[in-house]
């Protein structure tokens, strides 16, 4: 009888359906957190709307808001796809769809790429919002110093 050494056990788990299932749960958790961040960024832009108008960055802010809203819609679609995938993985864990395992693994890889792209796009938008708000805050600070 062959015994698995710890490294083989880890490798075996990383290739297992249970591992794929746990990864999808992490994706959903991460997307749910990003949804909170999106709401925060929208509020942040709204709080600095006057400064945005004064610095001729209103159009950029509008584009960023559109990007955030677009990503929010994408998150709903992505979560739905991940939840459907999770159901299939659960059935696979119960050995109901053994013949379709390769199909589920391919689907998992596609979803993995979609989630990665979604997160990267959001990070780019978040960075742009932070840079824009930082510019506004610096200008507001300068304005306050000049008016004192």
């Amino acid at each position: 009888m062959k015994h698995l050494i710890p490294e083989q056990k880890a490798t075996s788990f990383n290739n297992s359906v249970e591992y794929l299932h746990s990864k999808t749960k992490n994706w959903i958790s991460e997307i749910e957190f990003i949804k909170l961040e999106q709401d925060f960024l929208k509020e942040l832009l709204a709080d600095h709307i006057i400064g945005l108008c004064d610095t001729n960055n209103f159009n950029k802010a509008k584009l960023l808001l559109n990007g955030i809203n677009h990503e929010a819609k994408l998150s709903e679609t992505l979560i739905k796809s991940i939840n459907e995938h999770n159901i299939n993985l659960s059935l696979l864990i119960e050995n109901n769809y053994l013949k379709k395992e390769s199909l589920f693994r391919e689907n998992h890889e596609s979803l993995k790429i979609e989630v990665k792209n979604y997160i990267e796009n959001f990070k780019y938008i978040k960075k742009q919002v932070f840079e824009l708000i930082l510019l506004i805050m610096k200008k507001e600070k300068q304005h306050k110093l000049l008016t004192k």
Side-chain angles (χ1 to χ4, degrees):
M1 184 172 159
K2 185 178 178 181
H3 294 286
L4 290 176
I5 58 175
E7 187 176 307
Q8 287 175 322
K9 284 182 184 177
T11 302
S12 176
F13 177 73
N14 287 344
N15 291 325
S16 73
V17 176
E18 288 86 0
Y19 176 74
L20 300 180
H21 189 64
S22 84
K23 290 300 286 181
T24 58
K25 286 181 179 179
N26 289 341
W27 294 343
I28 290 175
S29 175
E30 196 159 354
I31 292 170
E32 291 293 339
F33 183 75
I34 286 173
K35 288 167 68 175
L36 288 173
E37 287 183 300
Q38 289 168 339
D39 289 340
F40 173 76
L41 293 177
K42 287 192 264 187
E43 287 297 319
L44 193 59
L45 287 168
D47 284 350
H48 293 280
I49 197 74
I50 294 172
L52 290 165
C53 292
D54 290 347
T55 60
N56 298 319
N57 285 309
F58 184 74
N59 287 335
K60 185 174 182 180
K62 240 170 83 174
L63 284 173
L64 290 170
L65 277 172
N66 287 340
I68 292 169
N69 289 329
H70 176 72
E71 291 294 308
K73 288 176 188 171
L74 272 177
S75 72
E76 296 304 320
T77 304
L78 198 51
I79 286 175
K80 184 178 177 188
S81 296
I82 293 169
N83 281 331
E84 288 172 6
H85 180 62
N86 248 343
I87 291 168
N88 288 329
L89 288 174
S90 296
L91 292 171
L92 189 59
I93 289 169
E94 295 173 8
N95 296 321
N96 290 340
Y97 283 130
L98 281 179
K99 292 179 182 175
K100 296 184 178 182
E101 182 174 349
S102 62
L103 178 66
F104 295 139
R105 286 185 182 277
E106 288 172 19
N107 187 35
H108 185 84
E109 286 303 309
S110 294
L111 283 170
K112 181 177 165 181
I113 292 167
E114 284 184 54
V115 169
K116 183 179 181 226
N117 289 337
Y118 174 79
I119 291 168
E120 286 176 5
N121 288 341
F122 176 70
K123 284 180 179 179
Y124 174 79
I125 291 171
K126 183 165 69 170
K127 181 181 180 229
Q128 296 297 310
V129 170
F130 284 166
E131 288 174 351
L132 185 58
I133 296 301
L134 185 60
L135 174 75
I136 301 305
M137 291 171 83
K138 285 178 180 179
K139 291 206 181 270
E140 287 173 352
K141 187 176 180 180
Q142 286 174 349
H143 180 71
K144 285 180 183 176
L145 288 173
L146 291 174
T147 57
K148 283 189 176 185

